[in-house]
């Protein structure tokens, strides 16, 4: 099934995709099967983006599934409506994710997916660690190294996400990225932009504009960062987080979904 984007040319750049990396709404929480209308509800809010190095395909993790993005629309993978929140591409056709099962999934035994892994570009998923991951980070050159933000702190895995250990010296983080092997960039809960090599010690690089409550971070490169706050505003930095400019500020007076 092909779904037209709600924002034109979403697949053109990761920056455009970040415009939808926002908190979930009650309206989007129901899959198509539970709605009176037969119309497909689309992606819902997007939580993450990734490019498959196998063929360059852009994928998006949405509130209503994982989608393959193209210039004409979004195609839901395997007709699965799981709320895929944390999402990262770790290698060719290989994804890690976390989130919540579809509310109409008869096989669901928990409101949480934990950490799940796919080696066929999202067609089938296998269970990994049972963690309440909020954001995930890894790098294709070191896929065995996985980092996850949780309400209880930063977690680290050295076996591809099968087992995790807490990083007790890490600050409270909202989002984490691994733009290069041996480099972590994160958003702290207070809006600071932090950098680290191994997750144990962190250096402040900058911070989001005053009043911005951090929600999402995407690192196109170590220097080129994109972030979104809880009010859906999107910011861009081209100097590794030292300075930021506003690239999108939504009109919340518009109540249409």
């Amino acid at each position: 099934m092909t779904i037209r984007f709600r924002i034109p040319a979403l697949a053109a750049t990761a920056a455009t995709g970040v415009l939808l990396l926002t908190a979930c709404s009650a309206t989007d929480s129901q899959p198509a099967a539970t709605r009176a209308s037969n119309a497909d509800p689309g992606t819902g809010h997007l939580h993450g983006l990734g490019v498959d190095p196998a063929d360059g395909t852009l994928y998006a993790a949405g509130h209503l599934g994982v989608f393959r993005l193209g210039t004409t629309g979004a195609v839901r993978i395997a007709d699965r409506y799981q709320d895929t929140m944390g999402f990262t591409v770790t290698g060719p056709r290989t994804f890690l994710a976390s989130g919540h099962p579809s509310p109409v999934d008869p096989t669901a035994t928990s409101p949480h997916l934990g950490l799940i892994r796919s080696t066929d570009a999202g067609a089938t998923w296998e269970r990994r660690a049972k963690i309440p991951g909020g954001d995930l980070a890894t790098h294709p050159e070191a896929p065995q190294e996985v980092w996850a933000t949780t309400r209880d702190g930063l977690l680290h895995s050295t076996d591809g996400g099968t087992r995790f250990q807490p990083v007790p010296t890490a600050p409270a983080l909202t989002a984490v990225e691994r733009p290069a092997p041996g480099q972590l960039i994160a958003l702290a809960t207070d809006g600071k932009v932090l950098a680290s090599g191994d997750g144990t010690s962190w250096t402040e690089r900058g911070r989001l504009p005053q009043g911005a409550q951090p929600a999402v971070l995407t690192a196109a490169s170590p220097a080129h960062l994109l972030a979104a706050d809880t009010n859906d505003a999107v910011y861009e930095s081209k100097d590794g987080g030292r300075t930021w400019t506003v690239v999108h500020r939504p009109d919340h007076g518009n109540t249409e979904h």
Side-chain angles (χ1 to χ4, degrees), residues 28-248:
D28 288 329
S29 64
Q30 299 175 351
T34 66
R35 296 183 179 219
S37 170
N38 290 327
D40 192 290
T43 62
H45 290 301
L46 300 187
H47 299 297
L49 297 169
V51 176
D52 189 341
D55 56 11
T57 299
L58 177 63
Y59 287 88
H63 190 53
L64 297 172
V66 175
F67 297 82
R68 184 171 62 250
L69 305 186
T71 56
T72 59
V75 178
R76 181 180 284 104
I77 304 302
D79 199 33
R80 185 176 290 109
Y81 284 81
Q82 68 190 25
D83 181 4
T84 311
M85 299 183 69
F87 177 80
T88 187
V89 175
T90 65
R93 299 178 59 80
T94 305
F95 307 158
L96 288 177
S98 63
H100 310 282
S102 164
V104 295
D105 182 355
T107 67
T109 58
S110 168
H112 304 288
L113 291 173
L115 186 71
I116 54 177
R117 180 174 182 262
S118 174
T119 57
D120 55 11
T124 62
W125 295 88
E126 62 181 18
R127 302 276 182 171
R128 308 291 278 186
K130 294 182 179 181
I131 62 168
D135 193 27
L136 300 171
T138 187
H139 192 277
E141 293 182 18
Q144 74 282 0
E145 295 269 347
V146 183
W147 303 81
T149 63
T150 73
R151 293 182 179 179
D152 297 323
L154 184 66
L155 302 179
H156 180 216
S157 172
T158 58
D159 58 9
T162 301
R163 293 177 297 273
F164 282 82
Q165 295 295 326
V167 185
T169 58
L173 302 176
T174 296
V176 63
E177 282 282 275
R178 194 167 178 81
Q183 183 176 14
L184 294 168
I185 298 176
L187 280 180
T189 55
D190 61 0
K192 291 179 181 176
V193 182
L194 305 175
S196 177
D198 59 5
T200 60
S201 60
W202 296 81
T203 301
E204 183 177 344
R205 281 189 167 187
R207 65 183 310 138
L208 293 182
Q210 186 175 3
Q213 297 297 316
V216 174
L217 177 68
T218 297
S221 71
H224 188 189
L225 309 180
L226 294 154
D229 67 17
T230 55
N231 288 321
D232 304 346
V234 179
Y235 309 90
E236 181 179 36
S237 174
K238 295 183 178 180
D239 55 13
R242 291 174 178 83
T243 61
W244 295 84
T245 58
V246 178
V247 296
H248 173 74

